[in-house]
Amino acid sequence: MALSHLSSTRSNRLLRPLAAAASSLCRPISTSTEPLVIETSIPFTPHKCEPPSRSVETNPQELLTFFRDMATMRRMEIAADSLYKAKLIRGFCHLYDGQEAVCVGMEASINKKDCIITAYRDHCTFLGRGGTLLEIFSELMGRQGGCSKGKGGSMHFYKKESGFYGGHGIVGAQVPLGCGLAFAQKYNKDENVTFALYGDGAANQGQLFEALNISALWDLPIILVCENNHYGMGTAEWRAAKSPSYYKRGDYVPGLKVDGMDVLAVKQACKFAKEHVLKNGPIILEMDTYRYHGHSMSDPGSTYRTRDEISGVRQERDPIERVRKLVLGHDLATEKELKDIEKEIRKEVDEAIAKAKVSPMPEPSELFTNVYVKGFGTEVFHS
């Protein structure tokens, strides 16, 4: 992917700190845009389609951006865990750590005119779409400076101007909404696509199959992305689904199983999927991924799986560590330089939290805004 395209599709908020970090180290981190070709960790598994090549073109700048973006998301979610335990975040809170490669790889292959709609595990998606750490922590703590003015909370991040149509709390309900976005794209002939993300727990929802049926009939540019982290809440996939091969569940619709812990594989798959749906209509991507936290903050995540299982995934498949090894293996940066980037990320997260804490709470009058269409429903009538 060319650097100019990368720059146009990545968050400025995330790119600036990388440049600052690079300039402050003892030797310059590689900023080369010379192409590197790296093979995906495992082959893609196709259904009713030819899989994309395992050889993925990237460059040093992109790999370092992947490292910074995923490390920022990881630190942000760990900080959110602490804030929730300190009772500074209330209500529901679903963390994404472990799944960062899905969000980051997807962003690397699309633009902000392409739409994304997802479920309630949405903090990192918002960040990838150009949101800031301050907006995220302010929203999590219910402050005015949040992306939804402190009224949405963890599950309802939104950034329409960047093509992010929200996190949604009703299981699977975002999929038909995503198909509606794709219908608008086709109707307007704008050559963009929609990614509708859902988990393995939502994969048995009837509304998903209904939406997929009409999308296939009308050849809508919709990519259904099943983020299969293998535990819908606390139920293992094999206990909940007769067929846990989610990339095949569309039957008449093509599908592709992807290593969702390999950011380059995700990038390649999403690029392939976008090209496919613009010509042929829907496709399903199953991202084989894993969440390190429980389903939500009320779930310890250790009653239905072993600690050895979690630590095993961390050691063998962690998406950040995979990119770290690529960066070090190609001599793009030293271990110290990468640790310095992580230290700067920690500082940025801490600063955003400090600013969010002093952001004011919403005014009580905000309870009555965004309930009805503007100009309707706000006047009380008496008989």
Side-chain angles (χ1 to χ4, degrees):
M1 181 173 60
L3 178 60
S4 59
H5 179 65
L6 171 68
S7 298
S8 69
T9 58
R10 307 300 293 162
S11 163
N12 289 334
R13 176 72 182 101
L14 297 178
L15 283 173
R16 282 198 300 269
L18 177 61
S23 65
S24 66
L25 300 171
C26 56
R27 74 168 177 81
I29 288 179
S30 174
T31 56
S32 170
T33 59
E34 286 296 311
L36 290 169
V37 178
I38 297 173
E39 193 167 86
T40 62
S41 53
I42 58 174
F44 298 101
T45 309
H47 170 66
K48 292 186 179 293
C49 65
E50 289 296 321
S53 170
R54 289 183 63 186
S55 298
V56 187
E57 185 174 306
T58 183
N59 60 60
Q61 180 80 12
E62 182 176 61
L63 286 176
L64 287 161
T65 302
F66 286 164
F67 178 81
R68 168 168 278 278
D69 288 1
M70 289 195 291
T72 301
M73 292 172 180
R74 180 72 57 85
R75 174 51 51 186
M76 176 185 77
E77 296 293 68
I78 291 171
D81 172 271
S82 298
L83 290 168
Y84 194 95
K85 289 172 179 173
K87 297 185 178 181
L88 291 170
I89 297 174
R90 300 294 187 120
F92 293 100
C93 186
H94 304 81
L95 303 181
Y96 200 73
D97 49 321
Q99 300 182 209
E100 298 93 346
V102 177
C103 171
V104 171
M106 182 170 60
E107 286 291 349
S109 58
I110 62 176
N111 61 61
K112 294 298 190 293
K113 290 185 179 179
D114 294 315
C115 298
I116 299 177
I117 189 166
T118 189
Y120 36 72
R121 208 176 300 277
D122 59 355
H123 311 159
C124 294
T125 308
F126 176 81
L127 192 64
R129 291 267 89 182
T132 67
L133 291 168
L134 179 56
E135 289 175 308
I136 288 169
F137 286 117
S138 296
E139 189 61 41
L140 288 172
M141 290 190 273
R143 310 296 175 128
Q144 280 185 18
C147 59
S148 298
K149 299 182 180 180
K151 301 194 295 180
S154 171
M155 297 196 294
H156 303 296
F157 284 44
Y158 196 83
K159 193 173 178 64
K160 182 181 177 182
E161 65 273 19
S162 296
F164 180 45
Y165 286 85
H168 293 261
I170 304 300
V171 176
Q174 70 276 11
V175 176
L177 294 177
C179 293
L181 291 168
F183 177 83
Q185 289 168 325
K186 182 166 185 176
Y187 184 84
N188 292 323
K189 300 179 181 179
D190 63 7
E191 293 301 303
N192 294 111
V193 305
T194 294
F195 288 77
L197 283 69
Y198 58 98
D200 51 294
N204 299 312
Q205 283 279 323
Q207 58 192 324
L208 190 154
F209 294 96
E210 291 178 37
L212 183 61
N213 178 64
I214 200 74
S215 298
L217 279 172
W218 294 346
D219 295 327
L220 300 184
I222 179 80
I223 299 158
L224 273 63
V225 182
C226 178
E227 292 186 281
N228 182 10
N229 59 34
H230 301 283
Y231 296 97
M233 297 187 73
T235 303
E237 59 178 347
W238 61 269
R239 294 179 59 208
K242 183 64 177 177
S243 171
S245 296
Y246 299 107
Y247 69 104
K248 294 181 179 179
R249 296 283 288 278
D251 185 19
Y252 45 83
V253 172
L256 193 69
K257 186 173 183 179
V258 184
D259 183 355
M261 305 293 270
D262 179 347
V263 67
L264 289 170
V266 175
K267 171 191 165 183
Q268 188 84 327
C270 291
K271 179 176 181 289
F272 166 81
K274 179 174 178 177
E275 292 170 355
H276 172 92
V277 302
L278 286 171
K279 295 176 182 177
N280 306 299
I283 191 170
I284 295 176
L285 299 181
E286 178 186 344
M287 299 293 179
D288 181 3
T289 186
Y290 199 84
R291 55 172 163 79
Y292 294 153
H293 269 84
H295 169 72
S296 68
M297 286 302 299
S298 60
D299 168 24
S302 58
T303 57
Y304 47 85
R305 56 185 183 175
T306 65
R307 294 191 183 277
D308 286 345
E309 178 184 310
I310 301 169
S311 62
V313 175
R314 283 183 179 273
Q315 291 170 15
E316 297 173 16
R317 300 182 64 209
D318 185 81
I320 300 174
E321 293 308 309
R322 282 180 167 180
V323 174
R324 189 194 302 273
K325 288 176 182 176
L326 286 174
V327 169
L328 296 175
H330 287 82
D331 196 29
L332 307 180
T334 66
E335 186 70 55
K336 180 183 181 302
E337 288 168 338
L338 296 182
K339 287 187 180 297
D340 285 344
I341 290 174
E342 290 174 312
K343 287 179 184 176
E344 183 172 336
I345 289 169
R346 186 188 292 262
K347 182 181 178 183
E348 291 169 6
V349 169
D350 289 345
E351 288 175 352
I353 291 170
K355 289 180 180 178
K357 284 180 178 178
V358 297
S359 177
M361 293 289 186
E363 294 293 333
S365 60
E366 282 293 312
L367 284 169
F368 304 99
T369 62
N370 308 120
V371 178
Y372 298 100
V373 174
K374 191 172 181 180
F376 291 88
T378 56
E379 185 176 349
V380 177
F381 292 90
H382 296 281
S383 56

